Amino acid sequence: MIELAKRAKALKPSPTLALAAKAKELAGQGKDVVSLTVGEPDWDTFARVKQAAISAIERGQTKYAPSNGIPELRAELAKQTSSQLGVTYDPTEVVVTAGGKMIVFAVLQVLCDEGDEVIVPAPFWVSYPPMAELAGATPVIVSCGRESRFKMTAEQLEKAITAKTKILILNSPSNPTGEMYSREELTHLAKVLERHPRVMVLSDDIYNRLTLDGSELAPHLLHVAPQLRERVIVVNGASKTYSMTGWRLGWALGDRTVISAMSNYLSQSVSCASPFTQSAMVVALKEGDSDVTQAVTNLRQRSETAYAALRAIEGLDVPKPSGAFYLWPSVEKHLGKKYRGQLIKGSKEFAEQLLNHELVAVVPGVEFGAEGYLRMSFVVSEERWKEAMTRLARFISELTT
Ligand code: PMP
Ligand code: GLU
């Protein structure tokens, strides 16, 4: 009999990816599913970026690349991130690999020892706790409620820090809530961090240009506390801003000690991100600003329409997001009700019944560490969003006490 390692036995697939796959499978069977599951832009990768990858392949850039990324890309990332965050990074303080997910994974791997604690404010992106566990650390989940717009307060941070705390994960704008920390909130968190010099910060900035409130960039911890530069690992990637989820490109910037350790780790595992995607990324960074601006303008418009339509449904409480492309309605009021005789115990049952009976796929809040909510990705056509809203409204109208 095959005996798997304990860490493999305990591991479940990413629920966002699993639900997206289930929706695709149902669609493959000819069912008219509206999938609001995966966090993936629905607009195409920008034409100039696709063209750049094709030319790179034609030029023969199809072999191994350096494990920490090609020099031109690291140089451009250092330049742009330095200007965005107001602190200076050298190209040797940048590491690129196959996806932001692998970057987060590698940060945790090189910083955590067995027994260390990783503070994860909830609601959180689904992969943070399992990744902390895979690094031998203990995720310390701090529940952040509606009253603080799902953001961690300085008091909560202070309370959560122990002698074992190694990393605080910050993700702003947040997946799943779309909430963004303000400069003031970040200043309060920074003050706490100043008192605890052992604590590092993983700043997952993957949505930081996808702002919905009109700002150009989400406020950043380093904007208000540049003195923390040595302790902050900045994480970002191509997936969301450039609609390049399938290209698998992510990067981190930070102190050379951590970045070198990550490069070593990646050279013994992933090897490298493919060179032609990296070459295309250089073009995206150097020439893609107008494309990004256009995409963000469209995203803002869509967020307004999507938000208005969801809010119009009776019995839902919908916080307005300020970034990313998710809506995070509360369905708390409906928990404990029944749908065609079936008890809706929690968000999981809500999502299951909604998929089974109305063919609308959403991710239950419980997967993000917050019961009573649903995550709905609104990057679908206006027509499909409308259809989903009609079905959701019908579903809710049929709930009985
Ligand atoms: N961080 C967050 C918060 C995300 O939502 C995602 C989306 N998958 C990632 C990191 C990683 O994205 P990717 O691996 O596609 O770069
Ligand atoms: N981060 C995206 C999401 O939350 C992609 C799926 C994943 O990587 O889990 O939907």
Side-chain angles (χ1 to χ4, degrees):
M1 210 184 66
I2 297 171
E3 181 74 14
L4 288 173
K6 280 194 205 80
R7 83 176 77 81
K9 277 193 217 161
L11 203 56
K12 290 199 253 49
S14 155
T16 45
L17 293 179
L19 272 161
K22 187 168 177 196
K24 268 200 183 134
E25 191 187 310
L26 289 170
Q29 294 163 9
K31 301 212 166 111
D32 179 27
V33 183
V34 188
S35 178
L36 311 175
T37 52
V38 76
E40 174 164 74
D42 63 340
W43 59 91
D44 202 2
T45 301
F46 308 134
R48 69 183 96 224
V49 182
K50 292 200 283 191
Q51 210 44 57
I54 293 165
S55 337
I57 292 174
E58 283 171 353
R59 285 199 309 277
Q61 289 186 5
T62 55
K63 305 291 173 70
Y64 289 131
S67 290
N68 58 346
I70 60 170
E72 307 87 291
L73 179 54
R74 283 187 291 109
E76 194 55 31
L77 287 168
K79 189 173 130 198
Q80 293 204 4
T81 312
S82 300
S83 117
Q84 284 166 359
L85 303 187
V87 290
T88 309
Y89 292 104
D90 182 86
T92 58
E93 295 171 308
V94 184
V95 60
V96 177
T97 196
K101 205 174 210 169
M102 192 61 207
I103 284 284
V104 174
F105 188 84
V107 172
L108 293 163
Q109 289 288 320
V110 304
L111 283 176
C112 294
D113 271 318
E114 205 72 34
D116 281 341
E117 292 176 352
V118 176
I119 298 179
V120 184
F124 48 72
W125 176 42
V126 294
S127 291
Y128 296 143
M131 283 188 188
E133 280 165 3
L134 285 169
T138 307
V140 174
I141 311 294
V142 178
S143 289
C144 308
R146 180 74 199 263
E147 65 293 344
S148 62
R149 293 199 71 97
F150 313 106
K151 291 179 274 189
M152 192 174 52
T153 63
E155 293 72 37
Q156 283 179 306
L157 175 60
E158 184 74 67
K159 240 173 108 182
I161 294 176
T162 71
K164 292 183 183 164
T165 307
K166 193 63 194 274
I167 306 181
L168 159 69
I169 300 186
L170 280 182
N171 172 220
S172 174
S174 145
N175 176 2
T177 67
E179 294 289 351
M180 220 153 68
Y181 282 86
S182 68
R183 284 176 72 94
E184 200 190 347
E185 288 160 344
L186 292 166
T187 307
H188 292 313
L189 294 180
K191 282 198 184 123
V192 177
L193 289 165
E194 298 259 27
R195 288 197 287 276
H196 299 277
R198 181 177 184 256
V199 181
M200 302 285 292
V201 180
L202 188 168
S203 181
D204 183 343
D205 304 342
I206 203 135
Y207 298 99
N208 72 342
R209 289 182 71 187
L210 302 185
T211 56
L212 303 174
D213 65 347
S215 57
E216 209 162 289
L217 193 77
H220 199 277
L221 185 63
L222 290 173
H223 290 153
V224 300
Q227 70 279 14
L228 292 177
R229 180 196 182 282
E230 194 186 52
R231 291 161 54 195
V232 177
I233 313 301
V234 168
V235 170
N236 214 320
S239 284
K240 318 291 174 173
T241 309
Y242 296 90
S243 191
M244 290 168 68
T245 48
W247 294 57
R248 312 308 303 129
L249 277 177
W251 48 84
L253 296 92
D255 189 80
R256 205 164 286 129
T257 317
V258 180
I259 297 299
S260 304
M262 288 174 70
S263 301
N264 292 344
Y265 186 86
L266 293 163
S267 88
Q268 297 285 19
S269 50
V270 179
S271 285
C272 61
S274 74
F276 50 89
T277 60
Q278 295 190 59
S279 278
M281 194 64 222
V282 174
V283 173
L285 290 168
K286 285 190 168 164
E287 299 170 26
D289 260 354
S290 56
D291 296 323
V292 173
T293 305
Q294 186 59 54
V296 173
T297 305
N298 291 342
L299 188 70
R300 285 177 183 162
Q301 246 165 28
R302 284 208 278 170
S303 84
E304 290 294 335
T305 334
Y307 173 71
L310 184 61
R311 253 181 71 113
I313 296 178
E314 185 100 13
L316 286 182
D317 177 23
V318 195
K320 190 165 193 198
S322 29
F325 36 62
Y326 307 109
L327 286 165
W328 178 247
S330 164
V331 290
E332 226 161 354
K333 257 197 204 159
H334 301 297
L335 303 187
K337 292 186 183 172
K338 287 190 177 151
Y339 181 80
R340 299 189 186 169
Q342 296 267 12
L343 180 65
I344 307 282
K345 249 192 338 205
S347 56
K348 203 165 181 164
E349 289 77 14
F350 192 109
E352 256 165 31
Q353 298 295 340
L354 182 64
L355 179 58
N356 292 344
H357 296 278
E358 288 288 359
L359 295 173
V360 176
V362 299
V363 189
V366 68
E367 303 289 8
F368 305 92
E371 185 50 295
Y373 294 86
L374 303 176
R375 191 193 79 174
M376 306 169 94
S377 172
F378 63 75
V379 269
V380 292
S381 72
E382 209 170 300
E383 184 208 334
R384 292 308 276 165
W385 182 262
K386 254 195 194 153
E387 177 61 27
M389 295 304 101
T390 306
R391 296 182 194 182
L392 175 62
R394 187 164 57 213
F395 179 84
I396 290 178
S397 73
E398 283 186 40
L399 294 173
T400 55
T401 46

